[in-house]
Amino acid sequence: MSNNKNDNQEVFSKVSINWYPGHMAKTRKQIIQDLKLIDIVIELLDARIPISSQNPNIAEITKNKKKIIVLNKCDLADENQNRKWVEYFESKNIPVVLVDSNSGKGIENFIKKVEKIMQVDLEMHSEKGRVGRKIRAMILGIPNVGKSSFINRISKRTSAGVGNRPGVTRQKQWIRINEKIELLDTPGVLWPKFESEEVALNLCFTGTIKEEILDKIEIAYQLTKFLLENYRNKLCERYKLKEEYINETLEKERPENENIYEIFLQIGKNRGCIMSGGRIDEEKTARILLDEFKNGKLGKITIERPIK
């Protein structure tokens, strides 16, 4: 990103990230060890980016365990896309539930589904005289996917150290869910290298990656581009952009990134992000756009679509 704020010849660089703190390598080894104690794995994903928020390593190390997918933050995601993602996972014979940890939506359905998945195993334990043996579950999810809020909700606790700092979580602990289920919590785990620029950006949009790792203005530019292509009406409504203006700007005969960049600056102008000399404060504009997307103020938006 150029340091010259008046330079419209912006060239948005490719994203290349390797982010694997030592504690995450240690956590991965601990998960593999703890799986010996576990009956079922609960994988928590962000409903807005179900694929990007899925740790590829988790599928490999949990392949011999029963599994249920929880699409968390479904309240922030496009409802039509939520249905399509449920169909996608069910088509792969993977149990899935939609959950909003903040309101509690989907929690009862989740608990019932876990009990249903484990019903045969519990009957077998009962036949062997192991009456009352609890279902032992492990919850896994990348940082900032809403794991603490989810655990608080299913265990009916008011506080479990909920934080909004990606990559920082508590040590392992057992949590009683009900008379049938107990849960082993684990810290959030990211993988050693993001496979693509798209995955890295998706994780930036939703706040999984610390903002210092990438250029905030570049991330906001990429989000503007996505919203123009997929949720233009929501972008126009939130930032008082006229459809006619959008069309005229995008049709200008110059590189696409310059047209999108102009719209990004207009968003800043409309929100009063103006510095001395009439220049637009790009940093403030980017912060507003990213924060309002993460907090659902642009409406229900899903970044990733299921692949048929």
Side-chain angles (χ1 to χ4, degrees), residues 19 27 35 50-51 53 64 76 120 163 217 255 262 278 293 297 303:
W19 192 56
T27 299
L35 278 170
I51 300 302
S53 60
N64 296 321
L76 299 175
V120 173
I217 298 169
E262 180 182 320
F293 168 74
K297 291 183 179 178
I303 299 289

Side-chain angles (χ1 to χ4, degrees), residues 37-42 65-68 95 110-126 133-137 180-181:
L37 310 171
I38 299 300
D39 301 310
I40 184 169
V41 171
I42 302 158
K65 292 291 181 181
K66 288 183 171 62
K67 186 175 180 180
I68 182 169
F110 160 76
I111 292 173
K112 288 176 184 175
K113 189 155 280 196
V114 170
E115 291 176 355
K116 184 178 180 182
I117 293 168
M118 293 303 303
Q119 185 176 347
V120 173
D121 292 65
L122 289 176
E123 289 171 357
M124 287 174 58
H125 290 315
S126 183
R133 183 190 181 281
K134 284 183 168 53
I135 299 167
R136 288 182 168 179
K180 293 183 180 179
I181 306 170

Side-chain angles (χ1 to χ4, degrees), residues 59-92:
E60 175 60 27
I61 65 179
T62 63
K63 61 185 178 183
N64 296 321
K65 292 291 181 181
K66 288 183 171 62
K67 186 175 180 180
I68 182 169
I69 294 283
V70 173
L71 294 175
N72 196 31
K73 304 187 181 182
C74 70
D75 57 310
L76 299 175
D78 185 323
E79 292 174 357
N80 290 329
Q81 295 302 322
N82 281 344
R83 286 192 289 271
K84 289 179 181 179
W85 275 113
V86 168
E87 291 169 3
Y88 169 84
F89 285 110
E90 288 180 343
S91 72
K92 295 181 177 295

Side-chain angles (χ1 to χ4, degrees), residues 82-279:
N82 281 344
R83 286 192 289 271
K84 289 179 181 179
W85 275 113
V86 168
E87 291 169 3
Y88 169 84
F89 285 110
E90 288 180 343
S91 72
K92 295 181 177 295
N93 296 315
I94 301 173
V96 57
V97 289
L98 292 164
V99 166
D100 169 16
S101 297
N102 291 327
S103 71
K105 177 184 176 182
I107 293 295
E108 288 302 318
N109 185 30
F110 160 76
I111 292 173
K112 288 176 184 175
K113 189 155 280 196
V114 170
E115 291 176 355
K116 184 178 180 182
I117 293 168
M118 293 303 303
Q119 185 176 347
V120 173
D121 292 65
L122 289 176
E123 289 171 357
M124 287 174 58
H125 290 315
S126 183
E127 288 172 7
K128 293 177 181 178
R130 299 171 69 186
V131 180
R133 183 190 181 281
K134 284 183 168 53
I135 299 167
R136 288 182 168 179
M138 175 188 284
I139 183 166
L140 295 173
I142 65 173
N144 219 35
V145 77
K147 202 146 61 71
S148 295
S149 298
F150 176 72
I151 291 168
N152 288 348
R153 181 62 66 173
I154 60 175
S155 61
K156 298 180 175 62
R157 294 187 301 174
T158 56
S159 176
V162 179
N164 204 29
R165 289 188 300 159
V168 180
T169 320
R170 304 168 317 286
Q171 294 299 310
K172 154 181 99 163
Q173 59 179 314
W174 286 96
I175 300 161
R176 183 180 182 276
I177 303 306
N178 59 21
E179 69 279 358
K180 293 183 180 179
I181 306 170
E182 57 185 15
L183 177 70
L184 178 62
D185 181 28
T186 56
V189 186
L190 279 174
W191 47 102
K193 185 176 181 180
F194 303 115
E195 288 120 14
S196 68
E197 173 185 0
E198 183 181 358
V199 168
L201 283 170
N202 289 345
L203 293 169
C204 286
F205 294 156
T206 54
T208 297
I209 300 175
K210 295 177 183 179
E211 290 183 345
E212 311 93 75
I213 291 176
L214 285 181
D215 187 309
K216 189 183 295 184
I217 298 169
E218 181 171 338
I219 300 165
Y221 162 87
Q222 296 289 355
L223 180 59
T224 302
K225 181 179 179 182
F226 171 82
L227 293 171
L228 285 169
E229 292 170 354
N230 298 278
Y231 292 95
R232 188 177 298 184
N233 61 327
K234 292 183 185 293
L235 189 72
C236 288
E237 183 179 347
R238 182 67 187 175
Y239 299 111
K240 296 180 172 56
L241 299 167
K242 294 183 178 178
E243 186 76 29
E244 184 181 9
Y245 161 75
I246 296 290
N247 293 333
E248 288 177 358
T249 303
L250 292 176
E251 288 169 6
K252 288 182 179 179
E253 293 185 5
R254 59 184 181 182
E256 179 192 47
N257 64 322
E258 292 184 29
N259 294 337
I260 294 170
Y261 179 64
E262 180 182 320
I263 294 169
F264 168 74
L265 292 178
Q266 186 64 43
I267 289 171
K269 185 177 180 181
N270 290 359
R271 288 301 296 267
C273 304
I274 302 171
M275 300 188 294
S276 61
R279 291 181 300 140

